[in-house]
Structure formats: C-alpha cells, structure tokens
Amino acid sequence: MALNTARRAGLVEQVIEQLRASVADGEWPVGHRIPNETDLVEALGVGRNTVREAVRALAHAGLFEVRQGDGTYVRATSEMSGALSRLCSDELRDVLQVRRGLEVEGARLAATNRTDDDITTLRRLLEGRDNEQRAGHHDEFVHADTEFHCAVMRASGNAMLVDLYLGLIEVITASVSVMNETPVETEFEDHHRLLDHIIAGDAQGAAHAAAVLFDRLLAGLRSTREQT
C-alpha cells in the first residue's frame, strides 16, 4: 500500500510539472480555461484521480482557479505570482520592503550611469504613466508604472540588479495593482522628483527620492491596515 501511494505521488508530481510547463510555455495563458479532466486524462495518459490531485495542488498554490460548473482557469504564470495576486497586508509589506532595497540602489546607479536614450525612455514612460493615472485606467496604469520602474533599473547599468528585479516582475506588478486601489496622494510628485534627480545625475538625491517614495507607500499601507 505504501509503495502504491509513493508511485501515485510520483505520478502526481510529474503531471504537476507538465501542467506548469503548459502555463510557462504560454500554451495556456493567464485567463485561459485549461482542458477538462477527461481531455487531460487522455492527453497525459494517467488516471482521473492523478489529474484531479495535480490540478487541486496547483489551484491551492494559486496557479489555477477552479470555478465550479465552469472549469479551471489559469490565474498566474507561477505559484509565487498566483499566491501574491491576493496579497494580504503583511505580504504586500514584504514585497514593498524588498522593492525599496532594490530600487534605492537602482536609482542611485541610474543617476550615475543613465544615457541620453535612458532619459528619453524614462520621460516617455512617466508621461504615459501619468496619463493612465489621470484617466483612471487601472490595468494600463499598472503596466505603465511597472515599465517605468523597470526602465529605472535598466538605466542603472547593473545587469545583475536588473536580472534580480525582473525575476520578481510578477510580484512587483501585483504590488502595483494592489497599491493603486488605495493610492498615496504624493505618489505623482514622488515619481517626478525621482526622475528629476536621475536626469540631473544626482545619485544621492535619486536614492533619497526612491527611499521616500517607498517609505510613503509603506506608511500608507500601515494606515490602511489600522483602519480595517
């Protein structure tokens, strides 16, 4: 009996990896309904219970969303982003603290290493972010804000820092989405102040502006948590 259980557990893990791969490869994009249980059984050559356990595990991890009577949908491209797409206040605080550490140094380096092309790109992206914010376009704003911060990190000229940041991009995007629902009033000015220091080549000022931006976000998060 124990051997049979181990064999089934191994099959479940194999199916989980295959399902993950279908998501990671873009075969099943976010929002897409995955094949039904019968089709998965046939395609994967395993039993119905094995498929059911694998799907249940990935739903619990946040990769899938099971909608009763409708099917199972892809909700994220990784378990991390899936879990954090429903960020609670403590998780969001952790993400913002990590972002603060990375982005303060990124801003400092960007002010020293930015090129004319970087400045042009940053100005364009910040203008686009401002326009989406004014228009109240949530999804477009989230994308524009994330792109601006990514551009700051690229302007740093530090490839490892950029790789670290981009490795967290889904979590970062989730944090922008959540924070945009309760925006900090000074956020507009904070972003422009950050860019001004980067353009001026003021490394200390850029680092301070980035720190202030995230300190305000964290303070706003604490205030929201105390009110609930």
Side-chain angles (χ1 to χ4, degrees):
M1 180 66 70
L3 183 59
N4 289 336
T5 301
R7 284 175 178 167
R8 190 171 74 176
L11 275 177
V12 171
E13 286 301 318
Q14 290 177 32
V15 171
I16 287 174
E17 287 305 314
Q18 289 176 284
L19 298 179
R20 278 198 192 111
S22 293
V23 173
D25 294 344
E27 180 182 351
W28 300 340
V30 173
H32 179 85
R33 183 170 61 186
I34 72 171
N36 62 37
E37 192 175 275
T38 300
D39 290 339
L40 288 174
V41 166
E42 182 178 347
L44 298 170
V46 296
R48 195 172 291 271
N49 286 339
T50 300
V51 168
R52 195 169 294 155
E53 287 185 37
V55 170
R56 185 183 300 121
L58 290 175
H60 179 73
L63 196 71
F64 291 157
E65 178 184 1
V66 179
R67 302 178 187 174
Q68 295 298 328
D70 188 15
T72 300
Y73 289 77
V74 179
R75 69 169 298 142
T77 56
S78 71
E79 284 93 333
M80 177 179 286
S81 64
L84 291 177
S85 66
R86 300 167 292 181
L87 286 169
C88 72
S89 58
D90 288 340
E91 290 167 332
L92 181 55
R93 177 203 61 206
D94 292 347
V95 173
L96 292 176
Q97 288 173 344
V98 170
R99 286 189 63 188
R100 184 187 189 281
L102 293 174
E103 296 200 37
V104 167
E105 185 59 23
R108 185 195 313 277
L109 292 172
T112 301
N113 299 323
R114 85 286 184 275
T115 65
D116 289 343
D117 285 344
D118 289 328
I119 292 174
T120 299
T121 297
L122 287 167
R123 280 177 166 154
R124 173 177 56 79
L125 290 173
L126 187 57
E127 181 181 2
R129 178 192 184 278
D130 292 346
N131 291 337
E132 300 298 353
Q133 188 176 39
R134 293 190 189 99
H137 298 154
H138 176 81
D139 291 345
E140 292 81 358
F141 168 80
V142 170
H143 176 74
D145 183 86
T146 303
E147 284 296 303
F148 172 76
H149 286 275
C150 285
V152 171
M153 301 304 282
R154 290 190 183 97
S156 74
N158 186 309
M160 184 173 290
L161 188 60
V162 174
D163 286 345
L164 283 171
Y165 194 80
L166 294 180
L168 297 170
I169 195 63
E170 290 173 334
V171 178
I172 289 167
T173 302
S175 72
V176 174
S177 180
V178 174
M179 290 304 297
N180 188 47
E181 295 175 3
T182 54
V184 175
E185 289 183 5
T186 58
E187 200 179 5
F188 181 92
E189 292 82 2
D190 287 342
H191 280 76
H192 280 266
R193 193 172 296 112
L194 169 62
L195 180 55
D196 288 344
H197 285 296
I198 290 174
I199 291 172
D202 180 1
Q204 184 175 350
H208 179 70
V212 168
L213 191 159
F214 281 97
D215 287 344
R216 291 194 205 276
L217 291 175
L218 285 161
L221 178 62
R222 285 193 298 272
S223 176
T224 299
R225 182 166 50 184
E226 289 168 0
Q227 294 172 12
T228 57

